[in-house]
């Protein structure tokens, strides 16, 4: 029997963790400063679109703060009972970001519909100018986070928050211009509903992707049936059982399986060749393969 593990580093990236934290921290400072000003202007302008954008920015800031905490927790080494370390902290962070979107969607749907029915007076010029500034601020924050490692679902969650907020500011700017030039105040409520729709899309994507990892589904793009067939058709292999393919955290797929080889087969060679196959064809670098002989026979150990 040959029981061996191949450890890869597919979950790593070219960006240093310290650099990622610097980018996220800079984006956080930028957003918090603008959010404080936007709340004040939103109240003065009586704009639900601006206030919804400020609420969105609050979740942006919370998402980045949570991402920073999760990055530190996930960096803790494997120890004791936590044999994979705390890498799933990043996925939990992404799921929480998705859930915050759900709460905001419910609120802004309610408030947007209420203001469609009874539209209040809105200061269109304030909404328009503030929204333009918001577009610039979010573009800057998105640029900073885009320089970090977006293969991490944790960082991608924060990035999606920022990107959705920028789109929301574009809708708010259009609404502000409409109110300013035509006096049609319902445009402000419509912009808030557009923001809610963007949030709903982002929430679905984040919860779907984080849910796949938390429930240990196969990595996106990897079909377990195809993996099983690729192993089973390898020369010398007679069968494959107990195949499991999952994702530990973003960019860290893993596989375990029990493989049987033909009588007199070289277990060590088969294991090495299967590990190479899984890496090259399916980009799975962390593999645990129990390569055993067919019952009643013995594996041949290659001479060194």
């Amino acid at each position: 029997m040959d029981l061996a593990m191949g450890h890869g580093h597919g979950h790593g990236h070219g960006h240093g963790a310290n650099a990622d934290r610097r980018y996220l921290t800079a984006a956080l400072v930028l957003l918090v400063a603008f959010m404080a000003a936007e709340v004040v202007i939103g109240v003065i302008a009586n704009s639900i679109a601006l206030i919804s954008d400020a609420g969105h920015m609050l979740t942006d800031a919370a998402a980045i703060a949570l991402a920073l905490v999760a990055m530190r927790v996930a960096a803790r080494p494997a120890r004791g009972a936590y044999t994979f370390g705390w890498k799933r902290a990043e996925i939990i962070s992404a799921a929480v970001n998705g859930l915050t979107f759900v709460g905001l969607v419910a609120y802004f749907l309610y408030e947007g519909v209420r203001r469609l029915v009874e539209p209040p007076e809105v200061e269109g010029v304030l909404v328009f100018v503030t929204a333009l500034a918001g577009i610039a601020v979010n573009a800057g924050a998105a640029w900073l986070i885009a320089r970090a490692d977006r293969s991490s679902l944790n960082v991608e969650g924060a990035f999606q928050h920022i990107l959705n907020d920028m789109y929301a500011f574009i809708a708010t700017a259009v609404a502000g211009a409409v109110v300013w030039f035509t006096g049609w105040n319902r445009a402000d409520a419509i912009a808030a509903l557009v923001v809610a729709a963007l949030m709903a899309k982002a929430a679905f994507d984040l919860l779907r992707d984080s849910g796949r990892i938390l429930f240990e589904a196969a990595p996106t793009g990897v079909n377990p049936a195809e993996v099983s067939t690729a192993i089973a058709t390898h020369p010398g292999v007679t069968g494959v059982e107990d195949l499991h393919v999952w994702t530990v955290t973003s960019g860290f797929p893993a596989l375990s399986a029990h493989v049987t080889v033909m009588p007199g087969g070289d277990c060590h060679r088969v294991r090495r060749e299967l590990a190479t196959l899984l890496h090259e064809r399916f980009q799975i670098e962390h593999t645990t393969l129990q390569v055993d002989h067919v019952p009643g026979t013995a594996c041949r150990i290659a001479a060194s």
Side-chain angles (χ1 to χ4, degrees):
M1 179 180 72
D2 180 20
L3 178 59
M5 295 200 305
H7 297 275
H9 299 281
H11 54 291
H13 52 82
H15 307 266
N18 289 334
D20 286 354
R21 283 194 286 267
R22 285 197 300 272
Y23 292 137
L24 266 66
T25 300
L28 178 61
V29 171
L30 189 63
L31 292 177
V32 169
F34 184 79
M35 180 186 66
E38 187 181 19
V39 170
V40 174
I41 296 172
V43 172
I44 294 173
N46 196 25
S47 168
I48 184 59
L50 279 184
I51 294 173
S52 68
D53 282 331
H56 198 169
M57 290 191 83
L58 177 62
T59 65
D60 294 344
I64 294 174
L66 193 59
L68 287 167
V69 172
M71 287 171 71
R72 287 192 176 276
V73 173
R76 293 180 179 178
R79 184 178 302 160
Y82 297 90
T83 56
F84 276 113
W86 294 73
K87 299 185 185 301
R88 282 276 171 92
E90 294 187 352
I91 307 307
I92 294 173
S93 169
V96 170
N97 286 340
L99 289 173
T100 61
F101 271 137
V102 173
L104 286 172
V105 166
Y107 171 73
F108 292 129
L109 278 176
Y110 166 77
E111 191 65 18
V113 171
R114 188 182 71 81
R115 290 192 175 216
L116 272 178
V117 176
E118 298 179 5
E121 289 295 322
V122 177
E123 295 292 336
V125 63
L126 279 178
V127 174
F128 179 70
V129 172
T130 305
L132 289 182
I135 292 170
V137 168
N138 277 270
W143 177 79
L144 285 167
I145 296 180
R147 298 184 67 184
D149 176 33
R150 285 180 54 202
S151 67
S152 164
L153 191 58
N154 181 44
V155 175
E156 179 65 15
F159 180 79
Q160 288 300 325
H161 268 270
I162 302 297
L163 200 61
N164 274 271
D165 204 21
M166 187 167 67
Y167 295 151
F169 270 115
I170 293 173
T172 301
V174 172
V178 170
V179 174
W180 184 13
F181 290 109
T182 70
W184 193 55
N185 291 315
R186 284 186 172 88
D188 185 71
I190 292 173
L193 294 176
V194 170
V195 174
L198 291 171
M199 288 183 181
K201 172 63 167 57
F204 175 80
D205 290 343
L206 281 173
L207 291 174
R208 177 198 59 200
D209 293 343
S210 59
R212 285 184 62 89
I213 294 176
L214 290 174
F215 285 96
E216 300 191 331
T220 302
V222 176
N223 185 332
E226 291 182 8
V227 175
S228 180
T229 299
I231 295 174
T233 55
H234 184 275
V237 172
T238 61
V240 56
E241 301 174 337
D242 297 325
L243 173 69
H244 301 281
V245 190
W246 72 101
T247 304
V248 177
T249 190
S250 305
F252 189 175
L255 175 146
S256 68
H258 178 209
V259 179
T260 54
V261 299
M262 290 168 37
D266 184 345
C267 298
H268 295 300
R269 177 183 59 79
V270 170
R271 195 268 305 166
R272 288 193 300 269
E273 291 176 356
L274 287 177
T276 300
L277 168 70
L278 293 168
H279 167 59
E280 293 179 349
R281 183 169 172 182
F282 300 102
Q283 291 74 55
I284 301 173
E285 296 186 10
H286 188 102
T287 58
T288 304
L289 296 170
Q290 178 183 341
V291 183
D292 208 350
H293 58 279
V294 174
T297 66
C299 279
R300 178 174 63 85
I301 306 301
S304 58

